[in-house]
Amino acid sequence: GAVVSQHPSRVICKSGTSVKIECRSLDFQATTMFWYRQFPKQSLMLMATSNEGSKATYEQGVEKDKFLINHASLTLSTLTVTSAHPEDSSFYICSASGTSGVYDEQFFGPGTRLTVL
Amino acid sequence: GENVEQHPSTLSVQEGDSAVIKCTYSDSASNYFPWYKQELGKRPQLIIDIRSNVGEKKDQRIAVTLNKTAKHFSLHITETQPEDSAVYFCAATDNNDMRFGAGTRLTVKP
């Protein structure tokens, strides 16, 4: 199947700093990428959907100025957590789809565990 | 928007028994229903999916059924093995955003 990588896998940062997470589709063109957040023992919560070359669509309750998403190419999307706070500590997972919608399979990255001190 | 409910939240079975996980959805426009298996600290892996024009799909020990009228779909695992132990998520989408169920932690006792 298609491969999606995510970097870094783990990051620890100080409160107030910004952290960038990269999501790459390695062997296919991802027209759509999704960013999820997962708290311990909970389900995946969709944060935003991004289409290449367009502004991301954020879910209700997700601060777009805090969680900056860029999908500049068909193989790369980035999530930047700005002015991180301890409550932002979570497991962030991206997924990529090779179509303009989610009808076809989404391929998930391995996730990034963010810890904000 | 879509709302997906999943039951049970935890399920424990003996090796060799069957396991059934059920999900309901709210949006009648949803037309794609994947199931994911997630092991601790790892990414979700698609194990089976079903589209709205199909009522049942089977892949070896795993099967999924869909009842569009009742808006529910179920995952069936037969002859369970210890390596089936994981958290399973159902999801539903209408070609826009995918919504996940809360997850079911399946434990298969040897």
Side-chain angles (χ1 to χ4, degrees):
Chain A
V3 179
V4 175
S5 70
Q6 210 171 318
H7 179 81
S9 58
R10 290 178 179 273
V11 57
I12 301 172
C13 69
K14 292 182 179 180
S15 186
T17 60
S18 294
V19 175
K20 179 184 283 189
I21 303 170
E22 292 186 348
C23 178
R24 294 182 184 272
S25 57
L26 300 185
D27 52 2
F28 71 104
Q29 293 186 326
T31 52
T32 307
M33 285 188 170
F34 306 86
W35 286 94
Y36 296 87
R37 185 173 179 178
Q38 187 175 33
F39 291 103
K41 299 184 179 181
Q42 294 189 26
S43 188
L44 296 117
M45 293 176 51
L46 180 65
M47 298 175 66
T49 303
S50 72
N51 291 293
E52 183 265 338
S54 303
K55 287 184 178 180
T57 301
Y58 289 82
E59 293 300 296
Q60 192 172 7
V62 177
E63 299 176 59
K64 61 180 181 181
D65 294 331
K66 180 169 184 61
F67 298 100
L68 301 178
I69 292 172
N70 183 278
H71 192 167
S73 76
L74 285 171
T75 59
L76 173 65
S77 176
T78 60
L79 166 67
T80 301
V81 183
T82 62
S83 187
H85 291 285
E87 56 265 31
D88 298 326
S89 298
S90 188
F91 192 52
Y92 292 87
I93 302 178
C94 71
S95 71
S97 173
T99 66
S100 59
V102 300
Y103 198 77
D104 289 316
E105 182 179 351
Q106 287 187 33
F107 301 95
F108 285 87
T112 296
R113 184 161 300 284
L114 170 64
T115 302
V116 184
L117 302 176
Chain B
E2 177 63 273
N3 182 44
V4 178
E5 294 192 359
Q6 184 172 344
H7 300 279
S9 58
T10 60
L11 179 60
S12 182
V13 300
Q14 284 295 134
E15 182 177 359
D17 288 350
S18 295
V20 180
I21 302 171
K22 298 181 179 181
C23 287
T24 61
Y25 62 99
S26 61
D27 190 349
S28 57
S30 289
N31 53 21
Y32 176 59
F33 308 90
W35 284 88
Y36 293 90
K37 176 182 180 182
Q38 187 178 29
E39 297 177 3
L40 188 63
K42 296 187 178 180
R43 76 187 84 190
Q45 299 275 11
L46 179 71
I47 55 172
I48 196 167
D49 56 13
I50 192 167
R51 303 186 192 277
S52 58
N53 59 346
V54 176
E56 185 175 355
K57 184 177 179 181
K58 189 173 181 180
D59 182 5
Q60 299 183 338
R61 296 186 297 108
I62 296 174
V64 59
T65 59
L66 171 65
N67 183 325
K68 285 182 61 180
T69 303
K71 294 210 243 349
H72 65 70
F73 55 115
S74 301
L75 176 71
H76 303 252
I77 306 174
T78 58
E79 300 173 30
T80 54
Q81 301 167 2
E83 50 266 37
D84 293 331
S85 296
V87 177
Y88 291 81
F89 293 101
C90 63
T93 179
D94 62 350
N95 292 349
N96 292 306
D97 303 323
M98 187 174 290
R99 304 293 171 179
F100 288 81
T104 297
R105 181 171 298 279
L106 173 64
T107 302
V108 180
K109 301 176 183 177

